[in-house]
Amino acid sequence: MQCHGKQIKPEVQRQILKLYPNDLAFGYGENEVRGIWSITFEKKKKMNKKAIIITAIGVVIGLIAGYLYYQQIGCVSGTCAITSKPLNSTLYGGLMCGLLFNLFVTSPKKKD
């Protein structure tokens, strides 16, 4: 309540008005609720057939790319968490490429 309460020190109020000249949030008392935000999310719809196919293609390409990365580049020291084992590299590639391809899935337009 030091910044927005009913009893603000004059030097604090001057600084607030200097930094925020349009701020009118003064005079609040205890248990007064103002400026609450409400955030809502729309329920995500299930993936349609096209979205599943696009994502699946991305996963398959990623699996292949992840394995090829392990085979061609890999990890010389054996301490790399992802590229030290073919399974890790393959699964990571599939996951990342699947997510990447899923970015290109478009939602059907709503009918008015």
Side-chain angles (χ1 to χ4, degrees):
M1 301 303 288
Q2 295 178 22
C3 297
H4 300 287
K6 293 179 181 174
Q7 297 177 348
I8 304 171
K9 294 179 184 177
E11 62 271 13
V12 172
Q13 189 165 9
R14 277 194 301 274
Q15 186 66 22
I16 290 172
L17 290 173
K18 180 181 172 186
L19 295 172
Y20 310 102
N22 298 323
D23 189 354
L24 302 174
F26 297 107
Y28 291 117
E30 288 185 26
N31 297 320
E32 288 186 317
V33 180
R34 300 180 189 180
I36 292 179
W37 292 15
S38 175
I39 300 173
T40 57
F41 296 96
E42 290 184 22
K43 184 178 178 183
K44 189 169 181 171
K45 296 180 176 127
K46 293 181 181 180
M47 291 176 64
N48 59 21
K49 187 176 180 179
K50 179 181 176 183
I52 293 170
I53 291 171
I54 290 172
T55 304
I57 290 169
V59 169
V60 170
I61 291 172
L63 291 170
I64 295 167
Y67 182 77
L68 289 174
Y69 184 87
Y70 165 78
Q71 187 181 38
Q72 300 298 319
I73 299 168
C75 179
V76 178
S77 66
T79 60
C80 311
I82 296 171
T83 58
S84 63
K85 297 178 184 173
L87 179 63
N88 293 355
S89 185
T90 303
L91 292 177
Y92 184 78
L95 174 68
M96 290 297 115
C97 207
L99 290 172
L100 178 68
F101 272 53
N102 191 264
L103 290 173
F104 299 104
V105 173
T106 56
S107 300
K109 298 196 182 210
K110 292 181 181 179
K111 296 179 183 177
D112 291 330

